[in-house]
Amino acid sequence: MSNRVEELESKVKELQAAVNGLTEELVETKERVRQLEEEVDVDVAPTGRRRDRAAETADEETQAEADKADDAKEGDDEEQSSGSDIIVA
């Protein structure tokens, strides 16, 4: 029966070594991710999701272009409708 106990103790030591190794790898990976995030200048959005500032800038530029297109379209609509001076009250 002592042979079985020795086997179990050996297995526990192996598992503890594996857990310690994985924990160390996790800590190193988290540190590397933090370094990479600093390099690419990542922000955390209010939703908790991470957003790259370059992506945000591109989104803002796209939105600005869409707003300009909408403004231009509204201007065209106003030019077309300015021919009638009918006011509905």
Side-chain angles (χ1 to χ4, degrees):
M1 192 182 254
S2 73
N3 192 23
R4 178 78 176 139
V5 171
E6 289 174 7
E7 286 178 25
L8 290 173
E9 287 176 348
S10 174
K11 188 67 172 175
V12 167
K13 286 180 183 177
E14 287 177 28
L15 292 171
Q16 284 177 332
V19 167
N20 290 342
L22 290 171
T23 301
E24 186 176 319
E25 285 183 41
L26 178 61
V27 169
E28 291 172 359
T29 301
K30 282 185 165 186
E31 176 62 20
R32 182 64 180 140
V33 167
R34 186 190 62 76
Q35 290 172 352
L36 290 170
E37 286 175 341
E38 286 178 2
E39 287 177 16
V40 296
D41 201 21
V42 171
D43 283 339
V44 176
T47 60
R49 295 175 50 204
R50 292 188 172 141
R51 294 266 307 169
D52 188 322
R53 284 190 186 171
E56 285 182 6
T57 302
D59 289 347
E60 290 171 1
E61 289 173 357
T62 301
Q63 184 60 44
E65 290 174 9
D67 291 344
K68 286 180 186 176
D70 287 344
D71 290 346
K73 185 175 183 292
E74 287 176 12
D76 289 346
D77 290 345
E78 289 174 7
E79 287 177 15
Q80 291 175 357
S81 65
S82 66
S84 68
D85 294 332
I86 300 173
I87 298 175
V88 178

